[in-house]
Amino acid sequence: MRLSALLVLISLTMLGCGGLEKFSTAKVDGKVLCDGQPVAHVSLVFAPVAKKGNKDSGKAGFGSADASGAFTVSTYGKDDGAVVGKHDVIVMPPPSEDVPKFKCPCETNPKKPVEQVEVVAGQPNNFLINLPLKAANNKPTKIRPSELQDAIDSAAASEPTAGKD
């Protein structure tokens, strides 16, 4: 299962950043939405952000959205929450072998945080993760030859001519 391998790799990477020290955690839960609709089956990573001048940021917390988009975060044990402090939240699509027909018009990128949140001790940490819509398809715009020539002529007319005084 590729997701398991990815989560293990991220965990090991975060161990290198967070050492073996156990950091304080606070309960974290919430819901993942795309354009106002719940997003099921995605995985979340709460990656601690190191404070300036401090290499140790703690261990990443992980969660999975259920059918209603709801999630809880686990770091050292089941549903224990995330390390207290700021986190980059990364949302990943489910493995295709687990959810072969997964489609989402929003960003689910394992390399790009979707938002930053702060986990606070002794307070409710209930986050609504609103995924940004994917950028418009990068398909070339269809243009007629006459429109292309008009654009070329317009650009040529607006360019300054070198050496003219």
Side-chain angles (χ1 to χ4, degrees):
M1 186 168 172
R2 285 183 283 181
L3 179 59
S4 296
L6 179 62
L7 292 177
V8 168
L9 178 63
I10 290 171
S11 295
L12 292 175
T13 301
M14 293 313 293
L15 268 179
C17 297
L20 297 175
E21 180 182 352
K22 188 171 179 180
F23 288 75
S24 296
T25 60
K27 296 263 184 199
V28 174
D29 61 12
K31 195 164 195 164
V32 182
L33 298 177
C34 171
D35 205 22
Q37 298 301 312
V39 181
H41 311 298
V42 292
S43 297
L44 296 95
V45 178
F46 278 65
V49 176
K51 292 178 183 170
K52 223 175 201 173
N54 188 356
K55 292 181 198 174
D56 252 349
S57 58
K59 185 178 175 193
F62 300 93
S64 293
D66 65 15
S68 69
F71 67 89
T72 57
V73 176
S74 301
T75 299
Y76 299 106
K78 183 168 174 42
D79 300 334
D80 64 343
V83 170
V84 173
K86 290 186 180 180
H87 294 263
D88 284 333
V89 180
I90 299 167
V91 179
M92 300 178 291
S96 58
E97 61 268 12
D98 292 348
V99 186
K101 295 183 180 187
F102 177 79
K103 292 203 189 269
C104 183
C106 289
E107 291 288 335
T108 54
N109 184 340
K111 296 179 182 178
K112 183 178 174 187
V114 293
E115 67 183 77
Q116 192 172 84
V117 299
E118 184 158 7
V119 175
V120 181
Q123 293 183 13
N125 293 287
N126 183 276
F127 299 108
L128 192 57
I129 306 297
N130 287 298
L131 300 177
L133 289 170
K134 291 178 184 172
N137 292 338
N138 294 327
K139 294 179 182 177
T141 304
K142 291 184 180 181
I143 188 166
R144 295 185 182 112
S146 61
E147 293 170 328
L148 179 59
Q149 189 58 51
D150 289 344
I152 292 169
D153 292 344
S154 175
S158 66
E159 287 182 11
T161 308
K164 262 192 173 174
D165 289 330

